[in-house]
Every structure is written in C-alpha cells, then in structure tokens.
Amino acid sequence: MAGTVDIKLDPKSLTAADKARRRVSFPRLDVNSHMHFAEGVKMWATRRMAGAQPSSPICETEALTIEQAWAATMRDPAHAAQTRLNWSIHDFMWDRVCRAFGRDADHFLAAMEATDNDGPGSLELNPALAIPDYARHEIHRQPGGYVGDPFGGWVYHYALTLAHYQGRTPHGELQMELANAVPKPADGAVNRILDIGCASGVLTNAMKERFPKAETWGVDVSGPCVRYAHHRAAKLGLDIHFAQRLAEDTKFPNGHFDIVTDYLLFHEVSAEAARKIVAEMARIIRPGGVWCHNDAQTTGWPSEIHRPDTSIQGKAMAWNLYRHNYEPWYEAYKALDFPALLRDAGFDVDMSGPPIFRGRPSVNAVKR
Ligand SMILES: C[S@@+](CC[C@H](N)C(=O)[O-])C[C@H]1O[C@@H](n2cnc3c(N)ncnc32)[C@H](O)[C@@H]1O
C-alpha cells in the first residue's frame, strides 16, 4: 500500500554510537565497573555451567514427573552444587542490579520524570488498574517483579541483557530479528501496530524502526515497565505510545490493528488469561491483519518443531524453571494447544517462518 514505509533492520551494522545509546549505563564509574563484574560472573555461570548434566546412571532413570526428574538429578552432588551455585549467582545479579538503581534512585527517577510528559511518543499510566494475581510475583526471581518496584522496567531491561540473552543481544538485536520476520498483511497496509506485554519496549522500538510511519503502541500491565519503555523510546527519538493496560482488555476499538506482536508474554500468564488475550486479539486485529506470536513451543506445534522435553534432563530443567525461576504458568502454557486456540478464534496459522530464538519460528496468525 502507498505510504507503508518498510525498512529492513540490520542488527549487525549498529555503530558504536548506536550501541552506546541502546545500552543501560550508570552515572558513576565505580557502579559501572561493579556491574561489568556482575555481568561477567553471570555470563560465566550461564555459559560455563548451564550445560552441566548429571552423570549417566542417573540419566537412565525411567519416565518420571518433572519434579521427580529434578529430585533424581539433584542426587548427583556435583550437579546439585553447580545448580545451586547458578541460582546463587542469579540472585547475586538481581541484588547488584537493584542496588545499583537504588543507590542512584534520584538520578533515575529524575530521568523518567523528565520524559513522563515529553515526546516523542506518549505515556499512559493507570495507577488504579487492578493488577491480576498472576502478574504479582517475582518472576525470574526479580525482586519486586515487573510491578512492585519503581525501577522494575529498567532493572528488567538491564538484567535481561546480561541474564536472559547471556549478553549476546545487549542492544536489542534479537528483537530486531523478530521484527524483520513479521510478515506484512497481504494488502501491504501497515498503519497501526501493537506490541502486547512490551516490558521495556525493545520489540516495540524495533517494530517502529521497521515501520516508521505506522502508529505504534506498546501495552503492558506494569506501570514501571511502560514508564521506562517510554523514557527509553523518547531518548531514542521514537514516537511510540506506551500504555499501562491489560492485554486481555486493551480498550482499543474493534479491528483497529494491522499488526500485533507479542514476545515471551504468554508463558507468564495463567491459562485463563491466555484464552482471554487470544479473544481480545481476535477482536482488535482487522480482517487480513497479522498477529506475530513468539514464545515457547506448546502442544499442537508441528512435531518437527515441537520437541517435548522427555529426557530426564529436559524434565529436570522444566521443573527448575517452573519452581526456581518463579515461572509458575510455564507448564500450563506449554500444555495449551496454542495453534488450535488461534484457529478457533478466527485466525489462519502459519509456523513455516525462519527459526529466530532457540530454534523456533514465530507463529504468524492472519485474521480471517
Ligand atoms: C518476558 S516480558 C516481555 C518481554 C518483551 N516482550 C521484550 O521483547 O523484551 C513479559 C511482560 O508481560 C507483561 N504482562 C504480563 N501479564 C500481562 C497482561 N495481562 N497484560 C499486559 N502485559 C502483561 C509483564 O509485565 C512483562 O513486562
């Protein structure tokens, strides 16, 4: 369609200045240095120790529940020690990141206050929003979680770059690849975009960079997340609207969006909420509009992509995430037949796109 500007993003060509603008930094040299140390320890632990597996006799144990598999693997003392050390380092990371923001709280609060009512873009906070119980916990062991710390969005973004992606995509490179892989509607019209569960807005920003003329929204239940997301986008010169709202009740009119994205939202909400969010997306995406979903594989994925964790290590890891990374909805999400949910809600579903993260493609759903 005339007017739809579509720019291919190139995560490999970011200049040093681009990278500096996209990274989180701290106002004091000693804090920056200490955070580099914390980052290095976390990266070392994640890269060197994640592959540590229990010894083979234990691995040959028969089919077990994920909790039993975890208990069996933890009978290997070396594996158990490594696993516990990994969590200690994870908590060390959160502790140091939270302290770094708390130590210069006035600086970080003033920075967000300076952009709250300033553009480009806009910020909508809804302090009266009833936060669902499922969102009120310390996901990933983050102190205060997304909603309980005024720096929750900033802390999440900073720690995410060093923990979740193990420092491999610290400037939003992964989300640029995700944005590049989003298919356009068949008629080519991309006038309005929404990113749900936007957190610090890294994917929202990439979508705006790819489609600079489109009205772009990021929605998240967390006030601290959208506040930081707006601050960061404004600093990057991106005209994006961030709003603290529920993905299951977005308040947008029917058929409003040409493209909706979500990245790693669904495994963090209850199965009941997931169903409501799917219904809400079916309401606000126009016929022919595209919903690009990316999260862990669920029941109903094609067998060549969906490889359920049937090994004892896979099961033990599932329990480890569920129980020790405070991801209580992960297993319920994986048990949902997500592609069937989308089809039943009125979407045609395609999973033949390129693998992007951990070998999985996005689920591209076109509204019938
Ligand atoms: C893993 S983070 C998303 C990461 C983000 N998409 C990115 O690209 O970095 C999950 C986000 O979903 C948000 N969330 C959870 N439940 C929600 C809901 N019902 N409505 C909107 N956002 C929700 C959380 O506050 C959190 O910011």
Side-chain angles (χ1 to χ4, degrees):
M1 181 198 145
T4 295
V5 178
D6 181 2
I7 298 171
K8 180 143 175 68
L9 307 178
D10 184 359
K12 294 200 172 69
S13 73
L14 293 173
T15 64
D18 288 335
K19 289 180 180 175
R21 286 187 322 133
R22 285 160 195 260
R23 266 193 81 91
V24 175
S25 65
F26 297 88
R28 301 179 206 214
L29 187 58
D30 60 333
V31 177
N32 260 320
S33 302
H34 187 68
M35 296 318 296
H36 285 151
F37 167 71
E39 189 169 338
V41 173
K42 176 64 185 164
M43 253 186 265
W44 171 81
T46 309
R47 289 182 182 175
R48 296 297 156 109
M49 295 171 30
Q53 298 295 349
S55 57
S56 55
I58 291 176
C59 296
E60 284 159 16
T61 311
E62 291 179 6
L64 298 169
T65 65
I66 60 171
E67 184 175 6
Q68 289 165 337
W70 160 263
T73 59
M74 291 296 278
R75 285 204 294 272
D76 179 322
H79 173 74
Q82 286 190 331
T83 303
R84 293 198 180 102
L85 180 58
N86 234 334
W87 285 126
S88 298
I89 290 173
H90 193 71
D91 289 340
F92 163 81
M93 170 199 76
W94 285 122
D95 175 66
R96 295 310 157 118
V97 175
C98 289
R99 279 200 222 186
F101 282 98
R103 205 174 140 185
D104 286 305
D106 290 349
H107 166 86
F108 291 109
L109 277 177
M112 288 195 288
E113 274 164 19
T115 48
D116 280 351
N117 299 309
D118 205 3
S122 66
L123 171 65
E124 175 194 298
L125 291 174
N126 290 308
L129 182 73
I131 309 282
D133 283 346
Y134 66 76
R136 287 177 180 276
H137 64 276
E138 303 204 317
I139 184 93
H140 310 134
R141 302 164 84 109
Q142 176 177 344
Y146 298 113
V147 298
D149 172 353
F151 300 122
W154 218 322
V155 165
Y156 172 73
H157 180 220
Y158 179 65
L160 182 93
T161 64
L162 49 122
H164 185 72
Y165 303 132
Q166 296 123 45
R168 280 192 283 253
T169 70
H171 317 102
E173 291 92 334
L174 173 64
Q175 280 89 345
M176 290 168 112
E177 283 173 27
L178 280 166
N180 275 338
V182 175
K184 275 191 289 197
D187 61 13
V190 184
N191 296 313
R192 283 191 287 258
I193 296 172
L194 169 66
D195 182 32
I196 50 168
C198 63
S200 47
V202 186
L203 176 58
T204 334
N205 294 354
M207 290 301 291
K208 181 69 183 176
E209 289 182 306
R210 181 175 162 194
F211 297 106
K213 299 260 190 218
E215 179 183 309
T216 302
W217 286 79
V219 161
D220 200 286
V221 66
S222 156
C225 280
V226 291
R227 192 180 186 199
Y228 169 67
H230 167 65
H231 167 75
R232 183 165 186 267
K235 287 282 174 199
L236 291 169
L238 297 170
D239 176 7
I240 299 173
H241 307 287
F242 285 100
Q244 182 187 11
R245 299 186 195 174
L246 288 175
E248 49 270 63
D249 180 19
T250 61
K251 315 286 184 203
F252 292 110
N254 293 350
H256 198 60
F257 287 100
D258 303 291
I259 294 179
V260 170
T261 55
D262 73 275
Y263 178 52
L264 298 179
L265 163 69
F266 275 87
H267 76 274
E268 294 186 3
V269 305
S270 67
E272 186 194 357
R275 289 196 175 86
K276 287 186 184 160
I277 296 171
V278 171
E280 178 71 347
M281 295 307 109
R283 185 184 73 74
I284 63 173
I285 297 174
R286 69 163 169 97
V290 173
W291 177 9
C292 183
H293 158 82
N294 197 292
D295 206 318
Q297 295 93 320
T298 68
T299 302
W301 277 53
S303 56
E304 66 274 18
I305 307 172
H306 178 231
R307 297 188 186 93
D309 296 329
T310 49
S311 68
I312 191 166
Q313 294 96 333
K315 286 184 178 183
M317 178 61 78
W319 178 262
N320 201 11
L321 290 177
Y322 169 76
R323 178 68 184 79
H324 300 106
N325 205 28
Y326 302 176
E327 304 202 80
W329 305 109
Y330 210 139
E331 290 305 304
Y333 165 69
K334 286 198 296 186
L336 283 177
D337 186 335
F338 205 77
L341 271 185
L342 296 178
R343 287 187 198 101
D344 292 349
F347 292 93
D348 291 327
V349 177
D350 176 20
M351 281 175 265
S352 62
I356 297 169
F357 185 53
R358 298 196 168 146
R360 64 174 181 254
S362 294
V363 178
N364 295 315
V366 176
K367 183 75 191 306
R368 288 192 287 270

